[in-house]
Amino acid sequence: MIRLRNVVKLYRAGSVVVPALRGITLDIERGDFVSIIGSSGSGKSTLMNIIGCLDRPTRGTFELAGHDVSKLSDDQLAYARGRQIGFVFQAFNLLPRMSALEQVELPLTYRGGKNQRRSAMKALADVGLGDRMHHKPNQLSGGQQQRVAIARALVGEPSVILADEPTGALDTKTTADVMDIFVRLNRVQGMTVIFVTHEPEVASYTDRVIQLRDGMIVSDTVATSP
Amino acid sequence: MIRLRNVVKLYRAGSVVVPALRGITLDIERGDFVSIIGSSGSGKSTLMNIIGCLDRPTRGTFELAGHDVSKLSDDQLAYARGRQIGFVFQAFNLLPRMSALEQVELPLTYRGGKNQRRSAMKALADVGLGDRMHHKPNQLSGGQQQRVAIARALVGEPSVILADEPTGALDTKTTADVMDIFVRLNRVQGMTVIFVTHEPEVASYTDRVIQLRDGMIVSDTVATSP
Ligand SMILES: Nc1ncnc2c1ncn2[C@@H]1O[C@H](COP(=O)(O)OP(=O)(O)OP(=O)(O)O)[C@@H](O)[C@H]1O
Ligand SMILES: Nc1ncnc2c1ncn2[C@@H]1O[C@H](COP(=O)(O)OP(=O)(O)OP(=O)(O)O)[C@@H](O)[C@H]1O
Ligand SMILES: [Mg+2]
Ligand SMILES: [Mg+2]
């Protein structure tokens, strides 16, 4: 479903070239529940942005559901992203002038269909923000903003969820509540879930842990317990 | 040194009043090493913003170094803040168009004095960003941006450091490196250090743990080991 072969990503900062990914080869199948761990700067967000079709590799190939993504136009890429992929950004990326409810409804308006307001309200209630729906981002705490970003990614029921440190701003109890949602989506609805996390407790919820170091995969371990 | 008596903070979101702090009474002395824990939305950032003179209580009194802060003008408050307090924001609050080095130099230009560039370079090297000095925030990973925010807060050698979840975006090893810096500043330089954290391992570095729930202090525990 997600297939990377020798993916390289080079950034340029002034005259310096930063090799953020130095040859990633990886397969992720439908219904997998994967975490990506690694130290700060090891390339996790860069890898997520490529898998989420928000950025393109410098070299190497990336196929999504059998299609070579490099052959898709930006429009086709945006369409695949909008339909298939829910993305929780490391910096949340909320729109500053919209309330939590409006932010979470937004992906649904692109899809059309009924009951958008009700689905958005449910998604916010599921992450414990039922009483914060009309708050704008600057009227929300850090962990509340993160949960709005999670609700927004989940509300359209995408087939793949990419979450970049989705519990980074949350305390232990709220983290456990959010992880229960992801586990249910994966086990019950068969959603493919890919996390970046630096918290070992969060990685332990997933079936498979991929470790990055300096832009390379150094280990890829499947949990053996059922 | 920091003295809060019955501090209340009310926010208004539309017609709703949110009681973010519901009567906080607290003393923090020079040289204390304190962490503030509590679930998402419990009022931690609100409390830090008041202690850091970035916001004022709705009711109650707040004294900083013996001065009633409510009697200070905004200018006097800004001066006290600039001189005394280093603040690491939960959302980092980096300036998007400045490089890491320029951001960290900025507090020093207000203070005057020599060797500003060298002090800024050292502060960045201390948090492991010696090779990222010329990157702008959008050319840095999440954890690198957080470390720029930390370096910026520390470079002017303030007497009080307020850090709102300063290791939230960092992996275990980088977290330990950053915590070693805070421990050294507290034990060796006598800096007053107040953290917000939701990570128990981070709270365990401090001498005293204050727990918030729904805008109230529910426990205030001093670690008994030396
Ligand atoms: N400007 C505002 N207007 C209305 N409500 C606000 C505003 N700012 C914060 N709040 C509310 O006040 C409460 C406390 O917010 P605060 O940011 O202090 O929480 P926190 O403990 O730092 O949470 P987190 O761990 O998620 O960062 C939250 O419930 C939040 O929704
Ligand atoms: N636009 C850019 N220009 C130059 N270098 C960049 C750019 N974006 C990222 N980098 C660099 O690429 C490397 C990988 O960044 P990435 O954001 O993928 O790390 P990460 O593993 O997500 O880190 P963190 O855990 O801190 O979020 C970092 O060293 C970073 O400085
Ligand atoms: Mg990242
Ligand atoms: Mg906060």
Side-chain angles (χ1 to χ4, degrees):
Chain A
M1 144 81 154
I2 286 168
R3 214 180 107 97
L4 278 71
R5 291 292 177 271
N6 300 312
V7 163
V8 170
K9 180 69 186 179
L10 305 177
Y11 289 117
R12 280 177 182 69
S15 56
V16 173
V17 173
V18 175
L21 296 177
R22 298 194 287 136
I24 300 286
T25 291
L26 178 59
D27 285 279
I28 297 176
E29 304 306 332
R30 276 190 199 288
D32 277 4
F33 194 10
V34 184
S35 49
I36 299 173
I37 63 175
S39 55
S40 174
S42 57
K44 306 179 295 296
S45 295
T46 303
L47 178 57
M48 291 289 268
N49 289 342
I50 287 173
I51 294 174
C53 302
L54 292 160
D55 196 6
R56 294 179 187 270
T58 309
R59 294 202 287 277
T61 57
F62 167 38
E63 287 181 13
L64 182 65
H67 298 119
D68 181 346
V69 167
S70 63
K71 308 251 177 316
L72 298 182
S73 68
D74 283 353
D75 281 352
Q76 287 170 314
L77 213 59
Y79 181 81
R81 220 164 46 221
R83 279 272 146 180
Q84 293 288 335
I85 298 173
F87 206 114
V88 184
F89 295 91
Q90 188 169 7
F92 320 152
N93 295 14
L94 299 181
L95 298 165
R97 297 211 191 87
M98 285 191 163
S99 71
L101 185 59
E102 290 163 336
Q103 311 253 4
V104 176
E105 274 186 311
L106 200 57
L108 300 178
T109 55
Y110 293 133
R111 286 169 185 250
K114 300 195 176 70
N115 293 329
Q116 293 171 12
R117 175 138 294 210
R118 200 185 313 166
S119 303
M121 289 173 74
K122 174 168 193 317
L124 282 167
D126 285 348
V127 293
L129 292 180
D131 61 351
R132 289 285 181 275
M133 288 199 236
H134 303 297
H135 286 229
K136 295 195 173 55
N138 67 355
Q139 297 170 325
L140 293 170
S141 77
Q144 291 168 344
Q145 292 174 24
Q146 185 160 48
R147 284 180 276 159
V148 174
I150 292 169
R152 180 179 63 178
L154 298 182
V155 71
E157 295 182 316
S159 52
V160 183
I161 277 286
L162 300 178
D164 197 341
E165 310 218 18
T167 60
L170 303 177
D171 58 286
T172 313
K173 164 104 186 30
T174 316
T175 295
D177 294 343
V178 162
M179 289 310 296
D180 288 347
I181 296 175
F182 284 115
V183 168
R184 180 166 44 81
L185 290 170
N186 175 257
R187 303 256 184 277
V188 174
Q189 297 194 22
M191 215 182 258
T192 309
V193 179
I194 307 171
F195 268 25
V196 162
T197 181
H198 61 257
E199 298 177 58
E201 315 79 44
V202 168
S204 67
Y205 280 79
T206 62
D207 306 323
R208 177 179 170 199
V209 178
I210 296 169
Q211 182 164 1
L212 288 189
R213 186 183 305 147
D214 295 331
M216 308 277 289
I217 293 179
V218 295
S219 70
D220 187 343
T221 324
V222 176
T224 41
S225 53
Chain B
M1 146 79 152
I2 287 167
R3 212 179 109 97
L4 278 73
R5 292 290 178 271
N6 300 312
V7 162
V8 170
K9 180 70 186 180
L10 305 177
Y11 288 118
R12 280 177 182 70
S15 56
V16 174
V17 173
V18 175
L21 296 177
R22 296 193 289 135
I24 301 286
T25 291
L26 178 59
D27 286 278
I28 296 176
E29 305 305 331
R30 277 193 196 284
D32 277 3
F33 194 11
V34 185
S35 48
I36 299 173
I37 63 174
S39 54
S40 174
S42 56
K44 308 182 293 297
S45 295
T46 303
L47 178 57
M48 291 289 269
N49 289 342
I50 287 174
I51 294 174
C53 303
L54 293 160
D55 197 5
R56 294 179 187 268
T58 309
R59 292 202 289 277
T61 57
F62 166 39
E63 287 181 15
L64 181 65
H67 299 118
D68 180 345
V69 168
S70 63
K71 307 250 177 317
L72 299 182
S73 69
D74 282 353
D75 281 352
Q76 287 171 314
L77 214 59
Y79 181 81
R81 222 168 41 224
R83 281 269 146 183
Q84 293 289 334
I85 298 173
F87 207 114
V88 185
F89 295 92
Q90 187 169 5
F92 320 150
N93 296 14
L94 299 182
L95 298 166
R97 296 210 193 85
M98 284 191 163
S99 71
L101 185 59
E102 290 163 338
Q103 311 253 3
V104 175
E105 272 186 313
L106 200 57
L108 299 178
T109 55
Y110 293 132
R111 287 170 184 248
K114 302 197 176 67
N115 292 330
Q116 293 172 10
R117 175 137 295 209
R118 201 184 312 165
S119 303
M121 290 173 72
K122 173 169 192 320
L124 281 167
D126 285 349
V127 293
L129 294 180
D131 61 354
R132 289 283 180 274
M133 286 198 236
H134 303 297
H135 286 231
K136 295 192 171 58
N138 66 356
Q139 297 170 324
L140 294 170
S141 76
Q144 291 167 346
Q145 293 173 25
Q146 186 159 51
R147 284 180 276 160
V148 174
I150 292 168
R152 179 178 64 177
L154 298 182
V155 71
E157 297 184 335
S159 53
V160 183
I161 278 285
L162 301 177
D164 196 341
E165 308 218 21
T167 61
L170 303 177
D171 57 284
T172 314
K173 165 103 186 29
T174 316
T175 294
D177 295 344
V178 163
M179 289 310 295
D180 287 347
I181 297 175
F182 283 116
V183 168
R184 181 166 44 80
L185 290 170
N186 176 255
R187 303 253 184 281
V188 174
Q189 298 194 23
M191 214 181 260
T192 309
V193 179
I194 307 170
F195 268 27
V196 162
T197 181
H198 60 258
E199 298 177 58
E201 316 80 44
V202 168
S204 67
Y205 280 78
T206 62
D207 305 324
R208 177 178 170 200
V209 179
I210 296 169
Q211 181 164 3
L212 288 190
R213 185 183 305 148
D214 295 332
M216 307 277 288
I217 293 179
V218 295
S219 69
D220 188 342
T221 324
V222 177
T224 42
S225 53

